[in-house]
Amino acid sequence: MNIIFSYKAWVLDFSSIICKAGYKKILNYARLKTGFLFYSLFHLYIHKGRPVSITVEPCNVCNLKCTECPSGQGNLSRKNGRMSFSVFNKIVEDIYPYCAYLNMYFQGEPLLNNHIFDFIKTASEKNIYTSLSTNAQLLDDEALQKIIDNKLDRIIISMDGATQEIYEKYRVSGSLELVKESVKKIILFKKQKQTSKPFVIVQFLVTRQNENQISEIKTFCKNSGVDMLTLKSIQLTNPEKESELLPSNQYFSRYKKSSDGKIILKKQIKYCWRSWSSAVITWDGNVLPCCFDKDAKHIMGNISEKNITEIFSEEKFHAFRKNAGSVKAHFGICKNCI
């Protein structure tokens, strides 16, 4: 659920996505969407196009220990590391003609990569819309100034509570005061520099512990000048065992109880647009079909061996798309996806 506080900022942000896309990227999106609709409606598989959206992983280590995060909990089965600038630059040089949207976060806290500001600058110079998600613990004045100066398009700041007691129930080891200060300062610095970028989103992960603080978060965001508040449903690793985190208000939950008492997804998908239109690249260059593949169990290839267009068009990726979807549940990562 998105609550927009500044429609002017939202319009400018949306316009920025369209303007940076240009007709070639829009045509690529249209080609992908048409093929996806044909597959969804007629089960006719025609996949033409290149990824319109790319997610890169600046690093897969974190400074917090969030309860449902495999990175923060140290549960990732793959190696820890940080993406080098050479790897990132190779990705950007490959994708900039057709990729409209670049997410610079996957697992871990992106600001733990010392090259993150160079990442933002490099992608912005290639006219790619850039987005960054952070827990805001490292957003000091210098970092905030660099984010604005290097023209980041969108920043998502996690704030999962209106009081420190509630906030740290999920964001273990985090400081709510640091988050609040970061939000206020980035709004202030934007005004001082007379810029609309980045579009500032506060993301509130709704749990049973914090759902009664939503009104307080709304008030804080509105008074602080935040552009948008996102109330996000929590994804659980094991819904049956961790149901105490699920909000009592079903509107904010992605799960429900079945007739036999099991915790199941409220909504399931048969065909997966995400794997059809996008890809994820880990810090070491492995290309994945989906951001739910946190342990990189479904590696489609590595950018050190082939470019992303080649990997995106290989039979292995086609086979994944044909079988992806929570209704089919052919892959384990799809079983907990909406």
Side-chain angles (χ1 to χ4, degrees), residues 7-8 41 44 60 69 97 105 113 116 124 133 155 179 182 184 193 200 204 223 234 254 283 286 296 302 315:
Y7 280 94
K8 179 181 178 181
L41 296 172
L44 179 62
N60 65 343
C69 176
Y105 57 93
N113 188 317
I116 190 64
S124 295
S133 180
I155 187 167
V179 179
S182 296
K184 292 174 182 177
K193 292 178 180 288
V200 178
F204 186 85
N223 292 342
I234 189 170
R254 67 176 68 188
W283 68 268
N286 285 325
N302 191 285
E315 182 54 39

Side-chain angles (χ1 to χ4, degrees), residues 104 116-126 150-151:
M104 288 185 282
I116 190 64
F117 307 112
D118 295 321
F119 289 1
I120 296 169
K121 183 179 180 181
T122 299
S124 295
E125 288 175 346
K126 289 293 186 180
N150 289 322
K151 297 180 170 58

Side-chain angles (χ1 to χ4, degrees), residues 25-163:
K25 294 178 183 180
I26 293 173
L27 184 63
N28 178 51
Y29 173 84
R31 190 181 294 118
L32 287 167
K33 197 68 175 180
T34 301
F36 181 72
L37 289 173
F38 265 86
Y39 188 55
S40 302
L41 296 172
F42 310 114
H43 207 65
L44 179 62
Y45 188 88
I46 304 173
H47 186 275
K48 301 287 185 181
R50 300 171 178 178
V52 72
S53 172
I54 293 285
T55 294
V56 296
E57 180 180 64
C59 66
N60 65 343
V61 293
C62 194
N63 51 339
L64 298 187
K65 300 177 181 178
C66 302
T67 55
E68 283 298 306
C69 176
S71 176
Q73 290 293 311
N75 293 330
L76 287 177
S77 60
R78 53 193 174 94
K79 291 181 180 178
N80 291 337
R82 292 168 171 80
M83 183 175 283
S84 67
F85 180 75
S86 61
V87 168
F88 182 83
N89 192 56
K90 177 177 171 58
I91 293 169
V92 170
E93 287 296 326
D94 185 2
I95 69 173
Y96 83 87
Y98 55 83
C99 179
Y101 200 107
L102 182 64
N103 292 306
M104 288 185 282
Y105 57 93
F106 179 35
Q107 298 303 295
E109 168 55 47
L111 292 174
L112 287 172
N113 188 317
N114 294 331
H115 300 297
I116 190 64
F117 307 112
D118 295 321
F119 289 1
I120 296 169
K121 183 179 180 181
T122 299
S124 295
E125 288 175 346
K126 289 293 186 180
N127 218 31
I128 305 174
Y129 184 95
T130 53
S131 176
L132 179 79
S133 180
T134 176
N135 58 38
Q137 302 301 295
L138 303 173
L139 282 179
D140 56 21
D141 288 8
E142 182 182 4
L144 290 169
Q145 295 283 6
K146 286 181 177 179
I147 281 172
I148 295 172
D149 291 342
N150 289 322
K151 297 180 170 58
L152 179 71
D153 290 294
R154 174 175 293 197
I155 187 167
I156 303 166
I157 299 175
S158 298
M159 184 176 171
D160 308 314
T163 61

Side-chain angles (χ1 to χ4, degrees), residues 319 323-332 334-335:
N323 291 290
S326 54
V327 171
K328 305 170 190 177
H330 188 83
F331 303 111
C334 297
K335 292 179 181 178

Side-chain angles (χ1 to χ4, degrees), residues 196-331:
S196 62
K197 296 183 179 181
F199 186 74
V200 178
I201 300 175
V202 166
Q203 181 174 277
F204 186 85
L205 196 63
V206 184
T207 66
R208 188 171 300 179
Q209 288 73 32
N210 67 14
E211 62 183 323
N212 64 341
Q213 296 188 336
I214 290 176
S215 60
E216 294 174 65
I217 291 294
K218 286 181 183 178
T219 301
F220 170 81
C221 290
K222 185 176 182 179
N223 292 342
S224 300
V226 169
D227 296 317
M228 188 166 78
L229 168 65
T230 296
L231 302 176
K232 185 179 179 182
S233 62
I234 189 170
Q235 180 201 11
L236 301 179
T237 306
N238 192 327
E240 287 288 334
K241 292 183 178 180
E242 300 161 324
S243 58
E244 72 280 355
L245 284 171
L246 295 178
S248 55
N249 186 340
Q250 280 293 300
Y251 181 82
F252 297 112
S253 178
R254 67 176 68 188
Y255 304 96
K256 65 179 181 180
K257 274 193 176 183
S258 63
S259 56
D260 57 0
K262 291 184 178 180
I263 305 294
I264 60 172
L265 288 169
K266 285 200 296 189
K267 180 183 176 183
Q268 293 184 311
I269 60 169
K270 189 174 182 180
Y271 304 104
C272 179
W273 167 245
R274 189 173 291 166
S275 63
W276 195 279
S277 61
S278 63
V280 177
I281 306 174
T282 62
W283 68 268
D284 50 354
N286 285 325
V287 178
L288 313 177
C290 176
C291 61
F292 275 73
D293 190 11
K294 298 171 184 179
D295 276 315
K297 299 295 186 183
H298 303 276
I299 298 173
M300 300 291 117
N302 191 285
I303 62 165
S304 64
E305 299 165 356
K306 296 180 180 180
N307 64 44
I308 297 168
T309 299
E310 290 175 313
I311 295 170
F312 200 62
S313 303
E314 287 194 332
E315 182 54 39
K316 188 175 183 180
F317 219 134
H318 288 310
F320 185 93
R321 291 187 195 101
K322 291 175 183 177
N323 291 290
S326 54
V327 171
K328 305 170 190 177
H330 188 83
F331 303 111

